Amino acid sequence: MGSRMTTTRTLPWTPPGGSDVEMIEVGEYWDVVRAPADIGERALALLGDETGAVIADYGLMYWLIPAGHARTWQLRRREIHALGADRAGVTYVGVPPAAHTIGPRLHWQIPIGPDRYLTDADRLREALSRAVSEPAEGATNR
């Protein structure tokens, strides 16, 4: 496990180094879409290799999407939120250091890198919509 993601230096933004979580203002480099982990896991499976970096923290998942896209986010679900500086008020998201890739505490579920940075907002919206409307495999009605 030698490398500590030095390849992220070519990105316009990189996660914090060291061991401390940083609170980063949403909107300058990216907006964020937050979803519950159960829906998020299904969306990840639907996105496959088309997902960008994903932060996870206990029961939530956060996708980084292009800045400004939270303003036009059209999936209106109580449990899914688009967060961006374009909306009312300033929003901050806790971002783990690049080396934090194991949970359940704040970590990179899908680590950031030059080939995995932002998720296309339209593809994410479609995947989350399907993840909400299609029952989970093996789910039973109670």
Side-chain angles (χ1 to χ4, degrees), residues 97-117:
H100 287 200
T101 57
I102 298 172
R105 291 186 173 148
L106 195 66
H107 66 284
W108 290 97
Q109 174 94 11
I110 306 291
I112 195 168
D115 60 340
R116 195 170 301 273
Y117 182 46

Side-chain angles (χ1 to χ4, degrees), residues 6 13 20 24 33 55 57 64 77 85 91 97 99 110 115 120 129:
T6 55
W13 173 87
D20 293 332
I24 305 291
V33 173
I55 297 170
D57 188 19
L64 307 181
R77 299 291 305 194
T91 304
I110 306 291
D115 60 340
D120 179 274
S129 180

Side-chain angles (χ1 to χ4, degrees), residues 50-76:
E50 293 184 11
T51 190
V54 179
I55 297 170
D57 188 19
Y58 291 100
L60 296 171
M61 296 173 74
Y62 301 81
W63 277 264
L64 307 181
I65 62 171
H69 284 244
R71 178 182 53 227
T72 60
W73 185 259
Q74 295 173 0
L75 181 61
R76 304 284 185 230

Side-chain angles (χ1 to χ4, degrees), residues 17-34:
S19 61
D20 293 332
V21 170
E22 287 185 24
M23 297 303 290
I24 305 291
E25 186 176 336
V26 176
E28 182 176 352
Y29 298 107
W30 34 257
D31 287 348
V32 171
V33 173
R34 180 181 67 207

